[in-house]
Every structure is written in C-alpha cells, then in structure tokens.
Amino acid sequence: MTCLFLLLAGGAALLRAEDFSSLAEVSAALREHLEFLARDELGGRDSGEPGLEVAAEYIANRFREYGLEPAGDAGTYFQHFTVPSLTVVFTGKSGVRIETAGGLQLEWTAGRDVEALAFAAPGSGSPEAEGTPLVFAGYGISPRDEDRQKGMEYDDYSGIDAQGKVLIILRSTPRGGKEFGGARSPYANLNAKLETARSRGAAGVIFVTPPAIEEEDLRGLALRSAPRGPSLAALIARRESVDQMLRLNGLRLDHLTGAIDRDLRPASREIPGVRVSFSTARQDL
C-alpha cells in the first residue's frame, strides 16, 4: 500500500515534463495508472491477496521505467515485512457446530455459511464458545444513559440473561433505524453491539442480516466490520443458516424480526436445548 501511495502522490514528479506537450497528456498518463490499479481483476489489493502482488509488480515496473534506484531487499523495489492483519479465522476444524437436546446436529462451514468476525483477548475468559446456550437478543440494543433519560425504553436485553451465552444479534436497528438515529446510528454499529454484548457477559455473538435488508457478501462484510482489536468471539452467518437453526426450535427469523419492527418491542428469548460451539482468533499475514 505504501508503494501505491508513492506512485499516486508523487506521480506528477515522476513524469518528466519534456515527455508531454499538455496537461491533458499528463492527466491521461496518470489516468492509465489509476485505471489499471483500480481494475476489478485486482480484487481490492488487500494484504496477502493475489491482486496486491499484481499491483506491486506494476508499480515496480513503472519505477524501473522512470529510472528510480531500487532501495528494497536484495537490490529490488520490494521490502518484505509482516502485516498485522485484521483477518479473523475459525480455529476449529469446521466453522460452527450446533447441537440440540434431541441429538440433532448442524455444521456451518466457514466461507459458505459463516465468516469469523471478531475474537477475544487470551485470558479474557471468553476466547471461545464451546457447547454454549443460545439466546436471540434482537438487535442487541441497550439504551445509553442519556437516551434513557430522554425516554428511550426499547431494550433488547430486558428480561434475558446473556451471561455465558451465545447471542444471535440482528444487524441494523428496528424499522431501518429512524427511531434510533438512522443508518449511522451508534446502535447499528457492529462494534458497539459487540461491546454491549461483552458488557453483559456474553460468551459470543452470531450476527445475521434481518430479512428486510439485502444480504451482503459475508467475507466482504467481515473484512470491513472486523474490530481493530480483541473484543468478543463473534461471527456473521448467512440468514438461511440462522433460520434453519431457529426452525429446530419452532422459530422463524422473519417472524421474530417482523414482530419487533411492527410493535417496536423486543422479542428476545432463550433458545432452549440448542448449544453452539466455535472459536475464533486473529491471523497475521
């Protein structure tokens, strides 16, 4: 990423004035670089991804053309170092294991049904969820003191015990967020939801997109939303997978969310007889 910044920030200096007869030609040359580096084929150019390697080779070749002296490792334009990644991975053999009191079992496969989102610090008491009871905690909202003083009564944690449980928490806020500050509401932020769950003693969180919202690519969402540091073992699951799990107990995700959005009242409840197992950890590249 540093090389990319240097090319774009110093690009005008690297292009010799005598090579161009007008600013339009300079703009066209810079545009050519930008268009290549922004191609969909480069896949976002994230650290450790193939697209980054293609971008790096392209930039190195341009530096070579401009006659810049290499100052990287072993006389090259490249310097190798470890990037502390925000990627979170499952540490077990599979993604998530779900068991019911009646002996039924489900497995969610990482990359297909679920993506790891967050992890807990070692020694924090909640690095993993192993055979943990399950609670549906609605949108995971608990009013801040200042909002309680203003009359906000909605509280997804009212009447449930989150201590030592894995919580199913919906993204966004009820009714799309108008009553809670819109799309940028602090109550819609996944990190804020994680902090609230952690403060209530939860062992982990399963995030799911409510039926009223279009479901996004799980991998992209996990990469964008991953906390910057340890918080709580958490994941984001495909809606169909969560609904399949709830149906084992006679519940449906659309019915639960529909009731909340219709009445603006929490529908939080324990999911009896269902236990969840998963563990997550940060992965450095």
Side-chain angles (χ1 to χ4, degrees):
M1 298 304 287
T2 302
C3 288
L4 178 60
F5 172 78
L6 288 173
L7 179 66
L8 299 181
L14 294 174
L15 301 178
R16 298 177 302 176
E18 57 266 30
D19 291 339
F20 302 93
S21 60
S22 68
L23 283 176
E25 289 187 10
V26 174
S27 297
L30 290 174
R31 182 181 182 86
E32 181 182 348
H33 294 320
L34 286 170
E35 286 181 344
F36 179 87
L37 293 169
R39 284 181 180 178
D40 290 343
E41 291 84 351
L42 268 63
R45 304 164 305 282
D46 197 10
S47 297
E49 296 294 328
L52 182 67
E53 301 303 320
V54 175
E57 287 289 346
Y58 178 87
I59 293 170
N61 288 334
R62 300 296 80 73
F63 284 175
R64 190 175 294 109
E65 289 177 7
Y66 298 142
L68 293 180
E69 183 178 348
D73 299 338
T76 70
Y77 292 101
F78 302 99
Q79 181 181 14
H80 296 85
F81 54 91
T82 299
V83 178
S85 170
L86 295 181
T87 299
V88 183
V89 296
F90 290 105
T91 56
K93 292 183 179 180
S94 62
V96 183
R97 189 175 71 255
I98 300 149
E99 300 174 274
T100 71
L104 293 174
Q105 294 188 6
L106 294 175
E107 275 199 3
W108 290 349
T109 302
R112 185 188 67 191
D113 307 302
V114 66
E115 288 285 354
L117 178 72
F119 66 106
S124 65
S126 58
E128 61 181 21
E130 181 63 37
T132 309
L134 191 64
V135 168
F136 176 73
Y139 288 89
I141 293 173
S142 190
R144 298 173 297 182
D145 289 341
E146 57 266 37
D147 289 328
R148 289 186 188 276
Q149 293 171 6
K150 294 176 182 177
M152 182 175 173
E153 297 181 352
Y154 183 96
D155 190 341
D156 284 306
Y157 287 89
S158 178
I160 61 170
D161 178 15
Q163 184 69 41
K165 311 291 198 327
V166 169
L167 310 182
I168 299 175
I169 293 180
L170 299 162
R171 294 175 59 210
S172 189
T173 58
R175 298 179 181 174
K178 293 182 179 179
E179 290 82 355
F180 298 88
R184 297 188 180 276
S185 163
Y187 295 114
N189 182 275
L190 295 191
N191 289 331
K193 291 175 186 280
L194 279 175
E195 176 57 28
T196 301
R198 188 198 61 77
S199 70
R200 297 302 183 107
V205 170
I206 299 172
F207 284 113
V208 61
T209 302
I213 298 176
E214 183 178 356
E215 194 165 32
E216 300 177 49
D217 172 70
L218 295 186
R219 180 63 174 167
L221 180 59
L223 289 173
R224 292 197 311 275
S225 306
R228 296 290 173 177
S231 55
L232 189 65
L235 52 88
I236 182 157
R238 196 166 301 286
R239 189 160 53 216
E240 181 181 355
S241 301
V242 173
D243 198 47
Q244 183 183 20
M245 177 177 63
L246 290 173
R247 286 172 185 264
L248 295 176
N249 227 278
L251 300 172
R252 287 179 48 172
L253 189 63
D254 58 347
H255 289 177
L256 291 169
T257 58
I260 297 173
D261 292 344
R262 182 183 64 249
D263 304 327
L264 204 59
R265 296 179 59 184
S268 305
R269 65 192 65 198
E270 291 196 20
I271 312 297
V274 179
R275 303 183 77 85
V276 179
S277 300
F278 70 90
S279 59
T280 58
R282 182 173 183 155
Q283 175 178 274
D284 289 337
L285 299 176

